[in-house]
Amino acid sequence: MNVNLYGHDGRWVMVDCGVTFADHQYPGIDLVLPDLSFIEDQLDTLDGIVITHGHEDHIGALPYLADDLGVPIYATPFTAGLIRHKLEEERIADRVKIRVIQPGEAFRVGPFGFEFVPMSHSIPEANALVIETPAGRVFHTGDWKLDAAPVIGTPASPEQLTAIGDRGIDVLVCDSTNVFNAEASGSEGTVQTGLLEAISAARGRVVVTTFASNASRLHTLGQVAVETGRALCVAGRSLDRIIKVARACGYLKDFPDTVSPEEAMRMPRNKVLVVATGGQGEDRAALARIATGNHPIKLESGDTVIFSSKQIPGNEVAIGRIQNTLAGRGVKMVTEKQAHVHVSGHPGQPELEALYGWLRPRILVPVHGEMRHLMEHARFGLSKGIPETLVQNDGDLVRLAPGAPAKIGHAPVGRLVLDGDVILPADGGTINERRRISLHGQISVAVAVGKNRRVAGSPQVRLQGIPVEEERDAFIADAEDAAAEAVSGGARDMDRLREDIRLAVRRCATRWTGKKPVVDVLLLEV
């Protein structure tokens, strides 16, 4: 969930505006958005949003927040195409201005000079940014790696990066994701051999799951499909979107024609290669539905699923669930642990060291990773000769230049959630209520009360998620008696009466189950 703000001379520019995906802490929530209240409180000082590349953790919040920010978005053609599609889905494309910048092109946003520097990553048109002001010059890497044999695009050469370093880089803001890896991440071009071997060895249908945005991997899979004599089938809306945008930008020109899932199922099993979304265990993605038999693509014993992607930390349980389901159907699985079917899009230590040498920054600010990655990156940078490092926490206001780097304040940061069509605080009343209900269950009590505060008819109790199972009717009867007794207890004030009923029913539930459920009381005065 990347949002960076750079400030100079009273003006701000935002770099990236992404989302993260919800976990069990946010029941009923799919997307988590950044809280931008710091800049929203001073929108007249924001000049624009510059996007490094098109991954969801860098652009995913734009459909929900860009209209309110009210400033232009600057992006290269492929990234702009992805953003435009998202804005169209939200029906706000006519209200958000996108300015398309060519890779390598220089441009200005307010008092900031920018230059897109093409870098290798697992999506087309990933860019680092040179950000220039009279106070200093920053090289903001975004997500990157070094790739001697890229499949799509031409990244900046060592000579070009050295020339940028010759201009003087005050601060390197750098990706830390793979800082613990002692080896380089490897070239995308080498994956084709591993995929070709794995798919050639398969005897039945083959499903390959990969990140939809990895157009280079899609190009490779298209070539492998041709070499193995298999028809190519694409399963997943996000894959369709990426292919459409990539072709519009001049990529995937020799990508083979695809067949529909229905056509694929009519073909011999050893003549089909399916590319599917869902390698991170997403419930509604194509692979999950294929695994459970709820997709037109059907797998049988002897078929193969290849996970051509890295297991993102936090997704282990979801991925394991799908893999167990596939295993139960007799499907063979191949991951990067068994074959060379994936390379990372982030730099290992040799790549970091090479970039330091080309740019020769005065200061290193590690980003992209958890605190253990940032601290290790700072140590690694110092060990390789960078004079100073500074490790931030979310919300830290940091002076980068002129002079020594220093933390000078703290901005409010936090999380918002997209709940249906509504944006809410991640730890606000609605989500906290939902957490309590999911943990303890909920009981509703309806009581008709006469003017003399006597029960006019029996209280009615309904419950959800209370662990009484076979004793449900007996529990409801006991809870209704507890409610009736509370009414007859003599409270005259309706608010006090409502609280007496709530506590009485909750004590009853605790006595039966040991839990303290949420109890809602509806009083009807008759």
Side-chain angles (χ1 to χ4, degrees):
M1 194 165 58
N2 298 282
V3 176
N4 311 269
L5 284 166
Y6 287 95
H8 175 69
D9 196 25
R11 309 300 299 176
W12 292 94
V13 65
M14 183 180 293
V15 173
D16 294 335
C17 190
V19 296
T20 188
F21 296 98
D23 56 22
H24 65 278
Q25 298 180 67
Y26 304 105
I29 301 299
D30 290 326
L31 288 184
V32 180
L33 311 174
D35 180 351
L36 303 182
S37 56
F38 171 79
I39 196 64
E40 287 172 342
D41 289 341
Q42 47 180 328
L43 275 183
D44 59 333
T45 67
L46 182 66
D47 287 320
I49 306 169
V50 181
I51 303 298
T52 60
H53 67 285
H55 276 148
E56 285 298 304
D57 58 332
H58 293 257
I59 68 170
L62 291 173
Y64 313 107
L65 304 177
D67 189 23
D68 290 337
L69 293 174
V71 294
I73 297 170
Y74 298 79
T76 53
F78 178 80
T79 305
L82 296 180
I83 295 169
R84 188 174 293 110
H85 184 89
K86 287 178 170 292
L87 299 178
E88 288 170 352
E89 286 185 335
E90 292 298 315
R91 301 178 182 176
I92 60 170
D94 59 333
R95 303 205 298 267
V96 178
K97 185 176 296 184
I98 301 176
R99 295 184 176 170
V100 179
I101 308 294
Q102 296 303 316
E105 186 176 340
F107 58 102
R108 294 198 67 81
V109 182
F112 303 90
F114 276 91
E115 179 184 339
F116 275 130
V117 181
M119 304 292 279
S120 291
H121 187 46
S122 52
I123 191 172
E125 296 182 12
N127 291 278
L129 303 173
V130 176
I131 308 172
E132 189 159 4
T133 75
R137 188 179 291 116
V138 175
F139 191 96
H140 179 106
T141 68
D143 293 353
W144 70 284
K145 62 183 278 187
L146 297 181
D147 193 333
V151 173
I152 288 179
T154 304
S157 67
E159 292 76 19
Q160 290 170 312
L161 292 169
T162 299
I164 291 172
D166 290 343
R167 288 153 51 187
I169 294 298
D170 295 287
V171 185
L172 172 61
V173 178
C174 189
D175 183 354
S176 310
T177 309
N178 280 351
V179 68
F180 288 103
N181 293 5
E183 297 181 356
S185 295
S187 172
E188 179 66 30
T190 65
V191 178
Q192 183 169 341
T193 300
L195 286 168
L196 181 61
E197 291 175 355
I199 293 169
S200 297
R203 294 292 172 261
R205 290 192 185 98
V206 175
V207 174
V208 179
T209 181
T210 189
F211 296 109
S213 57
N214 194 339
S216 295
R217 194 68 46 85
L218 295 178
H219 173 86
T220 296
L221 288 167
Q223 290 186 318
V224 170
V226 172
E227 291 185 52
T228 56
R230 290 176 179 261
L232 190 64
C233 173
V234 173
R237 287 180 57 217
S238 55
L239 282 167
D240 292 331
R241 182 171 65 250
I242 290 290
I243 292 169
K244 179 180 178 181
V245 174
R247 282 175 161 166
C249 293
Y251 306 119
L252 299 182
K253 290 182 178 179
D254 56 353
F255 195 68
D257 293 334
T258 60
V259 299
S260 69
E262 292 74 19
E263 290 177 280
M265 289 302 296
R266 292 193 292 268
M267 301 180 72
R269 290 169 59 204
N270 65 346
K271 294 298 182 182
V272 175
L273 171 60
V274 180
V275 183
T277 57
Q280 297 305 309
E282 304 97 315
D283 286 338
R284 289 180 288 182
L287 183 61
R289 292 186 287 123
I290 291 170
T292 56
N294 296 313
H295 192 278
I297 296 293
K298 309 295 182 184
L299 294 182
E300 306 169 20
S301 179
D303 291 340
T304 301
V305 172
I306 298 173
F307 288 79
S308 184
S309 57
K310 181 180 181 180
Q311 189 175 89
I312 295 175
N315 293 341
E316 295 87 353
V317 172
I319 296 170
R321 187 181 302 118
I322 287 177
Q323 290 180 339
N324 285 331
T325 302
L326 291 168
R329 301 173 76 108
V331 173
K332 178 184 177 182
M333 282 165 285
V334 179
T335 73
E336 61 175 340
K337 295 180 180 179
Q338 287 86 45
H340 186 57
V341 294
H342 178 66
V343 290
S344 174
H346 299 273
Q349 291 178 6
E351 294 152 285
L352 293 170
E353 185 175 0
L355 188 67
Y356 302 161
W358 296 326
L359 297 179
R360 290 147 284 152
R362 181 171 58 86
I363 303 162
L364 168 66
V365 178
V367 292
H368 301 340
E370 299 176 14
M371 183 54 67
R372 58 194 175 95
H373 298 88
L374 306 186
M375 293 300 293
E376 179 64 20
H377 194 175
R379 285 190 287 267
F380 183 75
L382 289 172
S383 74
K384 298 303 176 181
I386 295 180
E388 296 184 80
T389 66
L390 188 148
V391 175
Q392 304 173 252
N393 288 298
D394 288 347
D396 283 344
L397 288 172
V398 176
R399 185 186 67 237
L400 297 177
K407 296 181 183 181
I408 59 173
H410 192 81
V413 292
R415 293 181 163 207
L416 306 173
V417 295
L418 182 65
D419 192 8
D421 295 326
V422 181
I423 295 175
L424 298 170
D427 294 305
T430 298
I431 302 302
N432 283 332
E433 286 176 1
R434 194 172 297 169
R435 288 172 180 143
R436 288 197 297 271
I437 292 170
S438 69
L439 288 172
H440 302 292
Q442 186 265 349
I443 300 175
S444 297
V445 186
V447 182
V449 181
K451 292 182 179 179
N452 59 359
R453 294 297 186 266
R454 301 243 177 227
V455 176
S458 300
Q460 297 293 305
V461 170
R462 297 292 181 269
L463 50 95
Q464 298 183 83
I466 308 300
V468 288
E469 297 289 332
E470 296 177 359
E471 298 176 305
R472 187 183 185 91
D473 291 342
F475 169 75
I476 289 175
D478 198 14
E480 289 174 346
D481 289 344
E485 185 176 345
V487 173
S488 64
R492 307 293 294 176
D493 177 78
M494 292 292 276
D495 289 337
R496 176 61 187 273
L497 179 59
R498 184 178 290 105
E499 181 65 4
D500 287 348
I501 295 170
R502 187 186 73 83
L503 293 175
V505 172
R506 194 174 75 166
R507 282 194 294 268
C508 177
T510 302
R511 188 171 66 250
W512 275 73
T513 67
K515 298 183 76 68
K516 295 181 178 180
V518 174
V519 179
D520 295 315
V521 179
L522 176 64
L523 290 183
L524 303 174
E525 192 169 9
V526 297

